[in-house]
Amino acid sequence: MTEQLVRPDPISGFPEWLPEVRLVEQHWLDKIRQIFESYGFCSIETPSVERLDVLQSKGETSQEVYTLQRLQADAKDQTDASLGLHFDLTVPFARYVAANAGRLVFPFKRYQIQRVWRGERPQEGRYREFTQCDIDVIGQDNVPLHFDSELLRIVVEVLTALDLPAWTVNVNNRKVLQGFYEGLGIHDTMAVIRVVDKIDKIGPDAVSDLLASDVGLTADQVSATRSLALIRGTDSTVIDEIRALGVKSDLLEEGLTELGQLLDSFADLPAGTVTADLSIARGLDYYTGTVYEAKFLDWPGYGSISAGGRYENLTGSFTRKKLPGIGLSIGLTRIFAKLVAEGLIQTGPSSPTDVLVVVPSDDRRIDAQSAAATLRGRGLNVELYHQADKIAKQLKYASRKQIPFVWFPPFEDGRDHEVKDMASGEQSVADPAAWSRA
Amino acid sequence: MTEQLVRPDPISGFPEWLPEVRLVEQHWLDKIRQIFESYGFCSIETPSVERLDVLQSKGETSQEVYTLQRLQADAKDQTDASLGLHFDLTVPFARYVAANAGRLVFPFKRYQIQRVWRGERPQEGRYREFTQCDIDVIGQDNVPLHFDSELLRIVVEVLTALDLPAWTVNVNNRKVLQGFYEGLGIHDTMAVIRVVDKIDKIGPDAVSDLLASDVGLTADQVSATRSLALIRGTDSTVIDEIRALGVKSDLLEEGLTELGQLLDSFADLPAGTVTADLSIARGLDYYTGTVYEAKFLDWPGYGSISAGGRYENLTGSFTRKKLPGIGLSIGLTRIFAKLVAEGLIQTGPSSPTDVLVVVPSDDRRIDAQSAAATLRGRGLNVELYHQADKIAKQLKYASRKQIPFVWFPPFEDGRDHEVKDMASGEQSVADPAAWSRA
């Protein structure tokens, strides 16, 4: 009987990596986690699955949700029909905080590194399954401004640690935008924000046209809005530029103070790390203060690689308590997959092995095994070669896997152990109880 | 407008943990990963989602699969209709190996720690989403016997490191069972294996009855089969016990040699760590040699906490190449959730923070920030308290989160930094550039 074979190709939009690429991704994940923890953020994970009413509690992105169905469920069995995969980590986090508020210490600082799913059509930078790295700080009633600067510093630290092609973090403050538009006498400030947010994609002229035609701004309002949107700068001189436009409101003043303080707090970073960009607004309605997004400089059309901001109320759909916060999300897969596609991921070994211990002969297996155990006990990752093959074959295995060291237990009684550095080819006597990687 | 609130309770069968519990789980995951890597296993991850034909390539567990549907897809759009969440890590791994065989180095040693999903009714020990920790070694044409012993040693090392309530690893060899039944003149050995595998649940008498009534064994065959199934022992004397039953076949001989060697290789472990149990078979048809399962001794009715074995062909559904292997799976969630339910998880702090740096006053924030940065740069996890609250309040925050050390930057110029050990209450002068946890 010859059974039909099943095609083993992966599904588009669901990335997977060869071991040597995964090893780099793992290294990235470890670094990100280490940086998050170094600022005292705790880890939480939520289920991949939420009830649909939870997923839709903010209404917006419902078209991207994958719902679940049991393959063998009959039509009448609707037990799982109301479940779906989460499409971000914010909604599940909001539910988690609402469910556990009494058992958490506030300000609650958590990080969450998990996969999320969106039923989108796959295209560059858009995946159907991808990993997000989120951190948020949630306060009761208020979240000190300190965290705006801390979170941005964490993003900078992460993006720097990943050694990426040139990027910048664009920051803005929603109070500046809203206060400025209010100062211009505009009522539907949200409509203006939504149009201005498109400036990157459609350019300032098209934005001006839309502001006049769709939002109904006067020529003066359009002109001032456009001037504001074009302001960019890497230090607090942008605050003076904004003031020079002559618009005034209390909210604008508040926003300028916050933005100025934020920019000042990054004075120690290399120029260009953080850029004030008065056009960015981060479409979502719920940001209320600092907003930011990070982008690759050489791929301006590529989506943001990290984004976030300050919001008034995380858990409004679930509880009457007011829990404001500030959060950020790093698009791990979006960054990593782009670099893989551009050939910019430098891969090395395909395994974490530091040392391959040779099995010289079946008689000597015990010595080899005990050398391996000794080295392992000292924190090294050690493979014991699996059978007494010819030494050349064992060495070839090590070099194919780019294992950096090969260990030779004594080939006969009374001889010493030796270790070979595969890069230099040097071989020297060594003691498994004392040797370490140079 | 008062919007209807959404209930934030988690869904049954989808576990989630408070931060202090998650911290323990994370510690477990780190240990498991570290042990897997210390034997040179590389990490891979596969998408959570596979095509249904891949998921069903082995046919068996189709009723447990969750399929995906886009919430907004119209009935005609079947793009995603053929996708489902993986229910184990073996099927996706088989697909991965088949897809990438030309780019992997064999024997291919991989570990995979991921969530899996099953549309089961939740009950004790059964979850709809849970984390599995798998390792497999895949060979081309053959996998040396060395790995049977190595994998079992890894399980033992992991279960030991997790410091669990009493457990044992039961081992057997399918060749012994099949060879023994063949030696008894039984043709449908698989039917016998399936019945004997139930001995744990239904007892030896019911098994004997079924062997006679359902499989049609003679009284002598039933009696010998029963005698074999009741043999248990912690060393290779079980081999003699089996031989004493007087049954002979080549396959039995081969199995006894393998089982004997395996047991001998664990002579250095504490008695009871590994137990030969001639009843276990691991239901699945594809195991062909060594099989094992680990169980809690005090909860015999609770499912196996780890299981695995040797199989002839991993990728048979995908390729004509023969790729035999040996694998094991550790049921992380099954173990962890049981211990949580039994109150046996000792939780500590709710964050990874080593040191909380106090902000004595707004003037002193810079000093506090710089002390935090210095400590962080030296590998410590450091929270900077978020505002210049009263010191008592800052200390209370540290003690609620069980942060072990509180750092006091100088309250005025010319004074020293001090650090307080929250457990002992001791406070002493310290230098952020030199201090370390005792």
Side-chain angles (χ1 to χ4, degrees):
Chain A
M1 188 184 80
T2 308
E3 283 181 64
Q4 181 85 35
L5 292 182
V6 176
R7 281 181 303 119
D9 14 328
I11 321 165
S12 116
F14 292 86
E16 75 181 359
W17 312 117
L18 285 171
E20 56 274 24
V21 181
R22 165 66 183 159
L23 211 58
V24 179
E25 186 190 39
Q26 234 181 346
H27 186 53
W28 281 33
L29 287 162
D30 288 343
K31 270 193 186 164
I32 294 170
R33 170 180 167 188
Q34 181 256 310
I35 292 170
F36 288 172
E37 293 185 350
S38 81
Y39 283 83
F41 286 76
C42 72
S43 164
I44 71 158
E45 287 197 344
T46 57
S48 307
V49 172
E50 300 283 348
R51 295 195 323 270
L52 281 186
D53 59 344
V54 169
L55 292 175
Q56 294 178 308
S57 58
K58 281 185 181 147
E60 301 182 58
T61 32
S62 51
Q63 77 285 0
E64 299 173 350
V65 173
Y66 274 125
T67 60
L68 300 188
Q69 207 139 20
R70 282 187 301 125
L71 188 57
Q72 302 296 324
D74 59 56
K76 273 172 283 173
D77 179 357
Q78 292 294 309
T79 332
D80 297 308
S82 60
L83 301 179
L85 293 172
H86 58 215
F87 55 85
D88 73 4
L89 301 176
T90 304
V91 170
F93 176 54
R95 183 200 43 74
Y96 178 96
V97 171
N100 297 300
R103 291 174 285 181
L104 304 174
V105 181
F106 291 91
F108 180 51
K109 304 168 69 174
R110 84 85 174 78
Y111 74 89
Q112 196 167 348
I113 301 179
Q114 285 189 249
R115 296 172 180 227
V116 305
W117 293 265
R118 293 187 190 173
E120 296 193 79
R121 196 204 311 231
Q123 50 177 296
E124 197 196 29
R126 302 267 169 201
Y127 298 92
R128 293 197 275 176
E129 175 173 37
F130 53 100
T131 299
Q132 290 285 102
C133 308
D134 279 24
I135 69 181
D136 284 83
V137 183
I138 305 301
Q140 276 171 321
D141 300 319
N142 85 88
V143 177
L145 264 179
H146 155 67
F147 288 114
D148 296 50
S149 156
E150 179 165 296
L151 260 67
L152 266 167
R153 199 165 275 275
I154 292 173
V155 177
V156 167
E157 205 171 312
V158 167
L159 298 180
T160 305
L162 299 183
D163 200 16
L164 303 179
W167 49 268
T168 192
V169 182
N170 296 311
V171 301
N172 198 358
N173 190 302
R174 290 285 285 258
K175 290 177 186 168
V176 172
L177 297 185
Q178 213 168 320
F180 188 91
Y181 305 148
E182 282 174 18
L184 288 171
I186 300 169
H187 291 291
D188 190 357
T189 55
M190 211 54 90
V192 179
I193 286 173
R194 266 191 229 105
V195 172
V196 170
D197 201 33
K198 297 181 186 159
I199 202 167
D200 236 27
K201 284 183 190 137
I202 64 176
D205 291 343
V207 164
S208 297
D209 291 348
L210 280 177
L211 288 173
S213 64
D214 284 24
V215 191
L217 300 198
T218 67
D220 283 354
Q221 288 171 333
V222 168
S223 156
T225 300
R226 180 188 174 118
S227 300
L228 180 70
L230 292 177
I231 291 177
R232 289 175 61 87
T234 59
D235 60 40
S236 54
T237 57
V238 295
I239 307 299
D240 306 328
E241 280 187 66
I242 299 165
R243 288 224 171 85
L245 296 175
V247 178
K248 287 206 168 71
S249 82
D250 290 349
L251 190 62
L252 174 60
E253 227 12 78
E254 202 181 314
L256 288 176
T257 307
E258 289 184 13
L259 184 59
Q261 278 182 10
L262 192 69
L263 292 170
D264 284 342
S265 78
F266 297 119
D268 62 315
L269 294 178
T273 308
V274 173
T275 308
D277 178 336
L278 276 295
S279 74
I280 70 154
R282 301 299 309 158
L284 294 163
D285 290 352
Y286 70 91
Y287 288 123
T288 51
T290 298
V291 287
Y292 81 90
E293 62 180 22
K295 301 201 66 165
F296 285 127
L297 294 180
D298 294 335
W299 301 302
Y302 199 70
S304 64
I305 56 179
S306 174
R310 174 177 275 267
Y311 43 86
E312 278 310 293
N313 199 353
L314 177 73
T315 55
S317 321
F318 304 106
T319 164
R320 305 262 177 246
K321 276 194 202 121
K322 197 184 143 204
L323 295 165
I326 175 161
L328 71 86
S329 183
I330 296 171
L332 179 91
T333 304
R334 187 179 274 188
I335 302 173
F336 190 74
K338 176 69 175 166
L339 267 60
V340 171
E342 297 286 337
L344 293 173
I345 294 292
Q346 184 83 40
T347 59
S350 64
S351 90
T353 306
D354 300 307
V355 181
L356 177 77
V357 176
V358 154
V359 176
S361 64
D362 281 324
D363 295 355
R364 292 278 149 185
R365 170 179 290 281
I366 294 286
D367 299 323
Q369 200 161 326
S370 122
T374 304
L375 292 165
R376 218 173 264 138
R378 299 180 49 243
L380 291 154
N381 295 333
V382 183
E383 266 189 73
L384 178 65
Y385 192 77
H386 42 277
Q387 57 196 12
D389 284 335
K390 283 190 182 138
I391 298 303
K393 191 168 174 195
Q394 300 191 44
L395 282 169
K396 190 176 163 208
Y397 175 82
S399 76
R400 285 191 65 201
K401 289 182 79 172
Q402 297 191 37
I403 297 173
F405 295 94
V406 173
W407 193 275
F408 299 92
F411 282 61
E412 51 193 69
D413 284 338
R415 295 296 195 95
D416 288 320
H417 293 259
E418 294 189 6
V419 64
K420 183 185 180 89
D421 179 332
M422 295 294 280
S424 68
E426 234 169 89
Q427 188 163 331
S428 50
V429 168
D431 176 1
W435 179 83
S436 62
R437 293 184 64 157
Chain B
M1 187 186 79
T2 309
E3 283 183 63
Q4 181 84 37
L5 293 181
V6 176
R7 283 182 301 118
D9 13 326
I11 322 165
S12 118
F14 292 87
E16 76 182 357
W17 313 117
L18 286 170
E20 56 273 25
V21 181
R22 165 66 184 160
L23 210 59
V24 178
E25 186 190 39
Q26 234 180 345
H27 186 53
W28 281 33
L29 285 163
D30 288 343
K31 271 193 185 166
I32 293 171
R33 170 181 167 187
Q34 180 257 311
I35 292 170
F36 288 173
E37 292 184 352
S38 80
Y39 283 84
F41 286 76
C42 71
S43 165
I44 72 158
E45 288 198 342
T46 58
S48 307
V49 172
E50 299 284 348
R51 295 196 321 271
L52 280 185
D53 59 345
V54 169
L55 292 175
Q56 294 179 310
S57 58
K58 280 183 181 153
E60 301 182 56
T61 33
S62 51
Q63 77 286 358
E64 300 171 350
V65 173
Y66 275 126
T67 60
L68 300 187
Q69 207 138 20
R70 281 186 303 126
L71 188 57
Q72 302 297 325
D74 58 55
K76 275 173 280 174
D77 179 356
Q78 292 294 308
T79 333
D80 297 309
S82 60
L83 301 179
L85 293 171
H86 58 215
F87 54 86
D88 74 4
L89 300 176
T90 304
V91 170
F93 175 54
R95 184 201 42 74
Y96 179 95
V97 171
N100 298 300
R103 290 173 286 181
L104 303 174
V105 181
F106 290 93
F108 180 52
K109 302 168 71 174
R110 85 83 174 80
Y111 74 89
Q112 196 168 349
I113 300 180
Q114 285 188 251
R115 296 171 179 227
V116 304
W117 294 265
R118 293 186 190 174
E120 296 194 80
R121 195 202 316 225
Q123 50 178 296
E124 198 197 27
R126 302 266 169 200
Y127 298 91
R128 292 197 275 175
E129 175 174 36
F130 54 99
T131 299
Q132 291 283 104
C133 309
D134 280 24
I135 68 180
D136 285 81
V137 183
I138 306 300
Q140 275 170 320
D141 301 318
N142 84 88
V143 177
L145 264 180
H146 156 68
F147 288 113
D148 297 50
S149 157
E150 180 164 295
L151 260 67
L152 267 167
R153 198 164 276 273
I154 292 173
V155 177
V156 166
E157 204 170 314
V158 167
L159 299 180
T160 305
L162 300 183
D163 200 16
L164 304 178
W167 48 268
T168 192
V169 182
N170 297 309
V171 301
N172 197 358
N173 189 302
R174 290 285 285 259
K175 289 179 186 166
V176 171
L177 298 185
Q178 212 169 322
F180 188 90
Y181 304 148
E182 283 176 15
L184 287 172
I186 299 169
H187 290 291
D188 191 356
T189 56
M190 213 51 92
V192 179
I193 286 174
R194 266 190 229 107
V195 172
V196 169
D197 201 34
K198 298 181 183 158
I199 202 165
D200 236 27
K201 285 182 190 138
I202 64 175
D205 290 344
V207 163
S208 295
D209 290 349
L210 280 177
L211 287 173
S213 64
D214 285 23
V215 192
L217 301 198
T218 67
D220 283 354
Q221 288 171 334
V222 169
S223 156
T225 300
R226 180 188 175 120
S227 300
L228 180 70
L230 293 176
I231 291 176
R232 287 176 61 87
T234 59
D235 60 37
S236 54
T237 57
V238 294
I239 307 298
D240 305 327
E241 279 186 68
I242 299 164
R243 289 225 169 85
L245 295 176
V247 179
K248 289 209 167 69
S249 81
D250 289 349
L251 190 61
L252 174 60
E253 226 15 72
E254 202 181 313
L256 289 176
T257 306
E258 289 183 14
L259 184 59
Q261 278 182 10
L262 191 69
L263 293 170
D264 284 342
S265 77
F266 297 118
D268 62 316
L269 295 178
T273 308
V274 173
T275 308
D277 178 335
L278 275 296
S279 73
I280 69 154
R282 300 299 310 158
L284 295 163
D285 289 353
Y286 71 91
Y287 289 123
T288 50
T290 298
V291 288
Y292 80 92
E293 63 181 22
K295 301 201 67 163
F296 285 127
L297 293 180
D298 295 335
W299 301 303
Y302 198 71
S304 63
I305 56 179
S306 173
R310 174 177 274 268
Y311 42 85
E312 278 311 294
N313 199 353
L314 177 72
T315 54
S317 322
F318 304 105
T319 163
R320 306 261 176 248
K321 274 193 200 124
K322 198 184 142 205
L323 296 165
I326 174 161
L328 71 86
S329 184
I330 295 171
L332 179 92
T333 304
R334 185 179 275 188
I335 301 172
F336 190 74
K338 176 69 174 166
L339 267 59
V340 171
E342 297 285 338
L344 294 172
I345 294 292
Q346 185 84 40
T347 59
S350 63
S351 88
T353 307
D354 300 307
V355 181
L356 178 77
V357 176
V358 155
V359 177
S361 64
D362 281 326
D363 295 354
R364 292 279 150 186
R365 169 180 291 281
I366 294 286
D367 298 324
Q369 201 163 324
S370 120
T374 304
L375 291 165
R376 219 173 264 138
R378 299 180 48 243
L380 291 154
N381 295 333
V382 183
E383 265 189 72
L384 178 64
Y385 191 77
H386 43 278
Q387 57 195 12
D389 283 335
K390 285 193 182 136
I391 299 302
K393 192 169 171 194
Q394 301 192 42
L395 282 169
K396 192 177 161 207
Y397 174 82
S399 78
R400 286 190 65 201
K401 289 182 78 170
Q402 297 190 39
I403 297 174
F405 295 93
V406 174
W407 194 275
F408 298 92
F411 282 62
E412 50 193 70
D413 284 338
R415 296 294 196 94
D416 288 321
H417 293 259
E418 294 190 3
V419 64
K420 183 187 179 87
D421 179 332
M422 295 293 281
S424 69
E426 235 170 90
Q427 188 163 331
S428 49
V429 167
D431 175 1
W435 179 83
S436 61
R437 294 185 62 158

